[in-house]
Amino acid sequence: MAGILVWFWNERFWLPHNVTWADLKSTEESTFPQAEDLYLAIPLAFCIFCIRLFFERFIAKPCALALKIQASGPQKAQHNAILEKVFTSITKHPDEKRLDGLSKQLDWDVRNIQRWFRQRRNQEKPSTLTRFCESMWKFTFNLYIFTYGFRYLKKTPWLWNTRQCWYNYPYQQLTSDLHYYYLVELSFYWSLMFSQFTDIKRKDFGIMFLHHLAAISLITFSYANNMVRVGTLVMGLHDMAEVLLEAAKMANYSKCQKLCDLLFVVFALVFLIARLGVFPLWILNTTLFESWEIVGPYPSWWVFNLLLVLLQFLHLFWSYLIIKIACKAICKGKIGKWNPLHVSKDDRSDIESSSDEEDSVSWTKHSQNPSSNGISSNGMNGYLMGAAVSEEH
């Protein structure tokens, strides 16, 4: 084990040329990031998870009930042993041939069997109240950490001049505020990594798992080799859009349509500008080019930038989905008669993360305002929100 640790923490990988771990050892006069500080993130992640459980039960749930959000789940399907066996052992989405066979076996109409499978699938989906509580927790935490990060960053020179991230690198001292900011962010992502297996199951489970893994790796890498200055810029930039997304989802669950539409539009603009504009032109520019000019490349520098490029590809993927949904909504709004029931299922699956079909469809249907051409602007926005905000991108 000692040999593995020596190999893993090889100075030639982690640090620039002619820099050793001994040079970055904290003393009474100077404080630098220490790799062993990262071990604190695991117990802190457990504490954050416990705080979340308390928050959702005693704060978020009363708020949801005050907003008259339903606590009951979807309607349960009628008990049928044969259909239950097919559902649990064979398929949750029977094809036409199997539906015909079941219809003959049970002497049921095919439509009734389809309805049974739809209701049975919905039984496994969480209630709107559960979704609201989860979104309220994420909104509250992201708002707190974004506010803390903004108040900290506005006093730093590297927010206004990114070259300051690399001057005197890696001998940049670690302040208590920066240390707290990093540990709380890392602990939150670890808590998301763990809770993802117990949270609402979403279609983009793999993508979000990769996102959390990339975030944890980036925070760990940047802390271990003291790239914390540019790390704070990355964290602050990402927290901004998350606040708006969770706020839009809460408005959606509360059926505050106009607020939901407004928040989603603001979220989409902030997301696209931050992830497709600011991130590559500001963050990647300083990590790839300014750091090359001032410090020069070394092995962990390549890994760090590779992770940032991977993160940018995830940004492109999510941005593509948001733009695709927005374009489809606008195009559908120009057609004389548009029935969201015909398109919302397929379009929504492009971006939503859960398998909640009926909830989103009913939301979009509610958002329509009958008019001579069959759809109003609210109907189009409702479709957009049902597609993109019902569950996380």
Side-chain angles (χ1 to χ4, degrees):
M1 180 60 68
I4 293 175
L5 290 175
V6 170
W7 169 81
F8 182 80
W9 294 109
N10 189 298
E11 294 168 343
R12 298 285 58 82
F13 172 80
W14 288 96
L15 303 175
H17 187 60
N18 292 330
V19 179
T20 66
W21 291 120
D23 298 330
L24 299 177
K25 205 69 178 175
S26 295
T27 63
E28 293 182 0
E29 294 79 20
S30 57
T31 303
F32 300 107
Q34 304 297 304
E36 53 267 25
D37 296 344
L38 299 173
Y39 297 136
L40 293 172
I42 302 301
L44 281 176
F46 178 75
C47 292
I48 288 177
F49 183 72
C50 292
I51 293 172
R52 171 185 174 172
L53 295 178
F54 177 88
F55 179 91
E56 290 186 355
R57 181 169 183 178
F58 296 103
I59 299 177
K61 186 175 181 180
C63 290
L65 295 176
L67 292 170
K68 298 181 180 179
I69 295 176
Q70 295 181 356
S72 58
Q75 180 182 357
K76 291 187 177 182
Q78 175 187 348
H79 177 71
N80 187 290
I82 296 175
L83 295 180
E84 184 69 25
K85 184 176 181 180
V86 173
F87 182 88
T88 56
S89 305
I90 302 176
T91 178
K92 297 181 180 180
H93 300 271
D95 55 22
E96 186 176 347
K97 183 179 179 180
R98 190 176 297 279
L99 286 171
D100 290 336
L102 290 171
S103 176
K104 294 176 182 178
Q105 183 179 359
L106 297 172
D107 194 24
W108 280 23
D109 185 71
V110 172
R111 280 182 166 273
N112 290 334
I113 297 176
Q114 289 176 326
R115 185 180 299 111
W116 187 95
F117 274 93
R118 184 169 62 251
Q119 291 178 345
R120 183 63 181 83
R121 288 193 298 269
N122 288 340
Q123 281 183 214
E124 300 181 348
K125 299 170 189 176
S127 64
T128 304
L129 184 141
T130 302
R131 293 193 183 94
F132 179 90
C133 291
E134 180 181 322
S135 290
M136 187 172 179
W137 159 250
K138 291 181 179 179
F139 167 80
T140 304
F141 181 88
N142 283 314
L143 180 62
Y144 164 73
I145 201 65
F146 171 72
T147 304
Y148 181 90
F150 177 78
R151 293 182 61 185
Y152 170 75
L153 283 171
K154 71 178 183 180
K155 299 181 291 185
T156 62
W158 59 87
L159 176 64
W160 317 105
N161 179 12
T162 53
R163 298 180 71 88
Q164 292 286 341
C165 293
W166 311 108
Y167 291 145
N168 195 36
Y169 176 83
Y171 304 105
Q172 299 164 345
Q173 295 201 28
L174 179 72
T175 64
S176 58
D177 290 342
L178 200 159
H179 180 247
Y180 172 81
Y181 188 22
Y182 247 76
L183 274 185
V184 172
E185 280 275 11
L186 180 59
S187 301
F188 179 66
Y189 277 109
W190 271 119
S191 71
L192 289 180
M193 180 71 83
F194 299 145
S195 64
Q196 192 177 14
F197 297 94
T198 59
D199 281 345
I200 300 169
K201 292 297 183 291
R202 295 183 164 90
K203 290 182 179 179
D204 65 347
F205 177 88
I207 295 294
M208 291 308 300
F209 184 84
L210 182 63
H211 173 268
H212 297 334
L213 188 62
I216 290 171
S217 300
L218 277 168
I219 295 173
T220 301
F221 257 82
S222 59
Y223 190 87
N225 60 8
N226 203 15
M227 289 185 178
V228 290
R229 290 188 175 183
V230 72
T232 57
L233 299 180
V234 176
M235 293 189 299
L237 186 66
H238 284 74
D239 291 335
M240 179 168 43
E242 298 299 327
V243 174
L244 294 168
L245 175 64
E246 299 302 333
K249 290 162 66 178
M250 289 167 59
N252 179 24
Y253 301 142
S254 305
K255 297 183 180 180
C256 299
Q257 180 191 324
K258 291 184 178 180
L259 177 61
C260 182
D261 293 345
L262 175 63
L263 287 171
F264 176 74
V265 171
V266 176
F267 157 74
L269 290 174
V270 170
F271 186 94
L272 295 175
I273 293 172
R275 309 294 175 94
L276 300 186
V278 178
F279 187 83
L281 297 178
W282 191 43
I283 301 295
L284 291 182
N285 176 67
T286 191
T287 60
L288 288 170
F289 303 110
E290 292 178 351
S291 65
W292 182 293
E293 176 187 344
I294 298 172
V295 179
Y298 52 97
S300 68
W301 179 93
W302 290 102
V303 175
F304 182 70
N305 279 286
L306 180 64
L307 290 170
L308 287 175
V309 171
L310 171 63
L311 193 59
Q312 181 60 32
F313 276 110
L314 291 175
H315 295 164
L316 291 170
F317 172 74
W318 283 319
S319 298
Y320 161 74
L321 296 180
I322 291 174
I323 294 172
K324 182 180 178 181
I325 290 297
C327 289
K328 284 186 177 181
I330 293 171
C331 291
K332 294 296 179 182
K334 294 179 180 178
I335 298 175
K337 281 199 173 184
W338 170 58
N339 185 352
L341 296 176
H342 294 321
V343 296
S344 61
K345 179 179 177 181
D346 294 334
D347 293 341
R348 188 176 63 255
S349 65
D350 289 335
I351 194 167
E352 76 167 1
S353 303
S354 83
S355 57
D356 184 10
E357 298 173 8
E358 283 69 33
D359 182 63
S360 183
V361 169
S362 64
W363 193 90
T364 56
K365 189 175 180 181
H366 174 267
S367 68
Q368 287 181 286
N369 184 18
S371 61
S372 59
N373 63 357
I375 184 172
S376 68
S377 60
N378 282 346
M380 184 175 65
N381 288 340
Y383 162 68
L384 182 64
M385 289 308 306
V389 175
S390 272
E391 293 301 334
E392 191 168 348
H393 53 84

